[in-house]
């Protein structure tokens, strides 16, 4: 695959062509995922659950994220590498600069932080210094204790309107990508239309510019009950590379996610 850049992704958005994001945490899977045509590899702090067996993402450290980002960078074949900044590693703008730099030096091409308009200052400082940002909005798992559980966000008109305003504000501050988790499909569509930067969705319906899933979820090996937005792509595939290729094809065609994976 040719090297994927922010320019590639905005060309997709302008052309109305969907792109695909998938998590990976090690060199071997980074190789398989990028070879299957996934444009963006997310080194997610979901590794707290998936690799470490924690019950939330809160225990994940900067050292964990640096280690896994460096591993992914070794195996990657041209995808864009997005690295999550872990819980409380971006509480102040100064801390954000320092920790974002460490992830970029480990091999990330863009960093992701969770929140809304309060991140504007950090987003603009990072952007001025040459570090692109993805802002993760809606259900932000690092705030699970404040949110009172893993619940759909933006269900009432007030919070929906606020989310659209915040998205526009973050774009103005210099955010390069937005990610919406667990928001009603219609709201995700409105946010996607309100900004020129690409919007990635998970549990956000089919209208966003891209989709993301946790690798182990879509391979059907995460223990316990899966969230509604997950589809097991191993059910119709002979091997892991084919399952990932089928995911890429389904996203490009708009056949995933279906209404059964979305919130109305
Ligand atoms: O950590 C992660 O895997 C994520 C995705 C679920 C969006 O943030
Ligand atoms: Na995450």
């Amino acid at each position: 695959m040719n090297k994927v850049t922010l320019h590639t992704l905005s060309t997709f958005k302008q052309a109305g062509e969907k792109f695909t994001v998938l998590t990976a945490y090690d060199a071997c899977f980074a190789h398989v995922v990028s070879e299957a045509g996934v444009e963006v590899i997310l080194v997610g702090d979901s590794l707290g659950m998936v690799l470490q067996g924690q019950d939330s993402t809160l225990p994940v450290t900067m050292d964990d994220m640096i280690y896994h980002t460096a591993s992914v960078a070794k195996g990657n074949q041209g995808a864009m590498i997005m690295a999550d900044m872990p819980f409380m590693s971006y509480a102040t703008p100064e801390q954000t600069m320092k920790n974002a730099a460490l992830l970029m030096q480990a091999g990330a091409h863009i960093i992701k932080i969770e929140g809304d308009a309060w991140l504007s200052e950090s987003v603009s400082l990072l952007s001025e210094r040459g570090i692109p940002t993805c802002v993760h909005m809606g259900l932000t798992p690092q705030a699970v204790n404040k949110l009172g559980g893993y619940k759909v966000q933006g269900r009432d008109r007030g919070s929906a309107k606020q989310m659209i305003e915040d998205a526009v504000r973050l774009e103005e501050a210099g955010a390069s990508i937005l990610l919406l988790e667990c928001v009603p499909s219609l709201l995700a569509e409105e946010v996607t239309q309100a900004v020129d930067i690409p919007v990635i969705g998970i549990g956000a319906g089919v209208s966003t510019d891209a989709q993301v899933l946790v690798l182990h979820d879509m391979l059907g090996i995460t223990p316990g009950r899966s969230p509604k937005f997950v589809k097991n792509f191993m059910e119709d595939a002979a091997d892991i590379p084919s399952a990932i290729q089928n995911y890429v094809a389904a996203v490009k065609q708009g056949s995933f996610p279906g209404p059964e994976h979305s919130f109305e």
Side-chain angles (χ1 to χ4, degrees):
M1 177 165 51
N2 288 330
K3 216 169 173 307
V4 175
T5 65
L6 284 175
H7 178 73
T8 320
L9 303 183
S10 64
T11 307
F12 282 143
K13 172 147 187 163
Q14 279 156 25
E17 196 183 319
K18 309 261 183 206
F19 65 92
T20 321
V21 187
L22 191 57
T23 70
Y25 317 99
D26 62 40
C28 191
F29 272 115
H31 195 276
V32 172
V33 166
S34 53
E35 288 279 286
V38 169
E39 282 88 359
V40 181
I41 296 179
L42 172 62
V43 188
D45 63 353
S46 51
L47 67 84
M49 274 109 133
V50 173
L51 304 184
Q52 300 176 341
Q54 318 271 13
D55 62 8
S56 79
T57 57
L58 274 65
V60 176
T61 65
M62 270 302 297
D63 283 347
D64 294 335
M65 294 311 302
I66 290 168
Y67 173 90
H68 290 286
T69 301
S71 303
V72 164
K74 296 272 189 197
N76 177 38
Q77 305 293 308
M80 178 182 288
I81 299 175
M82 180 185 288
D84 263 347
M85 295 195 66
F87 180 62
M88 286 303 276
S89 68
Y90 52 97
T92 67
E94 291 69 29
Q95 220 185 1
T96 312
M97 301 300 108
K98 178 176 153 275
N99 288 324
L102 293 173
L103 290 174
M104 298 300 280
Q105 288 172 326
H109 304 117
I110 179 167
I111 59 91
K112 175 160 80 60
I113 48 186
E114 296 181 8
D116 45 47
W118 72 270
L119 291 169
S120 297
E121 187 187 354
S122 290
V123 164
S124 103
L125 289 170
L126 286 171
S127 166
E128 283 164 354
R129 283 155 186 75
I131 301 184
T133 310
C134 172
V135 181
H136 183 152
M137 307 176 75
L139 171 53
T140 49
Q142 292 172 15
V144 61
N145 293 292
K146 193 182 161 192
L147 297 174
Y150 298 100
K151 294 184 188 139
V152 179
Q153 302 294 309
R155 277 216 191 266
D156 62 278
R157 204 50 221 165
S159 61
K161 203 167 150 270
Q162 189 65 54
M163 203 180 292
I164 298 168
E165 278 175 30
D166 288 358
V168 170
R169 196 150 151 222
L170 288 160
E171 176 180 39
E172 284 165 3
S176 296
I177 301 180
L178 300 177
L179 187 151
L180 301 179
E181 177 165 354
C182 292
V183 305
S185 305
L186 205 59
L187 173 56
E189 185 175 351
E190 286 182 273
V191 172
T192 304
Q193 284 168 2
V195 296
D196 288 327
I197 53 176
V199 178
I200 303 167
I202 177 164
V206 75
S207 299
T208 52
D209 303 305
Q211 296 292 328
V212 60
L213 283 176
V214 169
L215 177 66
H216 298 59
D217 288 350
M218 60 83 78
L219 295 178
I221 56 172
T222 307
R225 204 175 137 256
S226 326
K228 178 177 165 130
F229 52 75
V230 171
K231 177 175 158 141
N232 176 1
F233 282 86
M234 278 305 284
E235 269 168 10
D236 304 307
D239 54 28
I240 290 173
S242 318
I244 300 172
Q245 283 161 20
N246 292 347
Y247 166 59
V248 171
V251 171
K252 298 255 181 220
Q253 287 158 13
S255 60
F256 177 82
E260 70 275 28
H261 307 114
S262 310
F263 303 100
E264 299 319 318

